[in-house]
């Protein structure tokens, strides 16, 4: 409505829509105001609302596993399983402030998926049980496991077996392990850096997987020449995240002050392997969901 006499109806309606050129009384009574007096703007507004909701879910889902679960596991292993701390508090802060936040910002700019306006009206929470299950019991376990495997692999190659890592408690010292204390400290610092870099790498697999909820990557390529599919921010923020991780483990100021160390390349293999698995498994879920939308696998998504 746009007149004074439309105000009561606008007030009682589920969604009262007033025209931007209408009377001030109708605008005060309405829930929405069409500034351009164009009903097509309603469709565009619904589409943008769904896009914002989808992108918020993607950001939250990306941040939950690495920012909480993969950082909680080292603490739990340290306190209850007696291991040396797999990731230092400083590196946990870097994950939260740099390598986790920067890639998630790229998801904010994710473009509309092709079936967005073909969905029924939304009846879901921003964070629900399915999302928490996917974040912690799938992504979280895979990300934390890959980093922990790389950590144990490095220590094993330095002559410290998993049996000497678990339940070490007060026996984690030079006397019991038969190593000079300086060498033991250097091994642990490098192992913590291995855990950190592996986590950063596996997060990129999660980033590529979480770009879309329903559409496979081949149908929504982030590097497409089509502006409706392209997300150049992913490259920019991904590069900044990688750069921050490399600087933290390479610059002498961080090496001397916080005990970070350069990581031998071969110990990054678990990160690439688990990251690739996360991406490919979610791609298969999307393809399967498109073909069999009512299947159990389709329901296991987020």
């Amino acid at each position: 409505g746009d007149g004074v006499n439309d105000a009561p109806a606008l007030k009682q309606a589920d969604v009262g829509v007033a025209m931007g050129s209408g009377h001030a009384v109708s605008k005060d009574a309405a829930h929405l105001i069409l500034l351009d007096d164009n009903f097509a703007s309603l469709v565009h507004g619904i589409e943008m609302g769904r896009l914002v909701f989808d992108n918020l879910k993607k950001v939250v889902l990306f941040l939950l596993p690495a920012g909480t679960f993969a950082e909680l596991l080292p603490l739990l292993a340290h306190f209850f399983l007696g291991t040396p701390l797999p990731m230092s508090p400083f590196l946990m802060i870097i994950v939260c402030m740099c390598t986790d936040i920067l890639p998630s910002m790229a998801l904010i700019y994710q473009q509309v998926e092709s079936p967005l306006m073909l969905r029924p009206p939304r009846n879901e929470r921003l964070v629900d049980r399915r999302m928490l299950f996917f974040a912690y019991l799938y992504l979280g376990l895979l990300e934390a496991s890959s980093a922990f495997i790389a950590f144990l692999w490095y220590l094993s190659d330095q002559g410290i077996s998993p049996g000497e890592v678990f339940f070490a408690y007060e026996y984690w010292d030079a006397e019991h392990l038969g190593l000079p204390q300086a060498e033991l400290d250097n091994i642990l610092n490098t192992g913590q850096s291995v855990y950190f870099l592996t986590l950063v790498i596996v997060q990129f697999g999660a980033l590529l997987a979480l770009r879309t909820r329903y559409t496979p990557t081949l149908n929504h390529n982030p590097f497409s020449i089509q502006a409706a599919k392209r997300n150049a921010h992913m490259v920019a923020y991904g590069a900044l995240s990688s750069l921050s991780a490399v600087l933290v483990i390479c610059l002498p100021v961080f090496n001397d002050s916080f005990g970070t160390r350069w990581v031998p390349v071969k110990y990054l293999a678990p990160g690439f392997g688990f990251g690739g698995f996360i991406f490919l498994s979610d791609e298969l879920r999307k393809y399967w969901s498109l073909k069999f939308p009512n299947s159990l696998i389709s329901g296991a998504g987020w």
Side-chain angles (χ1 to χ4, degrees), residues 1-3 18-24 26-27 33-38:
D2 58 358
M19 299 298 163
S21 59
H23 197 279
S26 64
K27 294 180 184 179
I33 300 175
L34 289 177
L35 297 178
D36 58 359
D37 292 349
N38 186 354

Side-chain angles (χ1 to χ4, degrees), residues 203-219:
Q203 279 185 290
F204 282 104
L207 178 67
L208 292 174
L210 298 179
R211 284 183 55 254
T212 58
R213 295 183 66 186
Y214 308 101
T215 308
T217 296
L218 290 179
N219 298 341

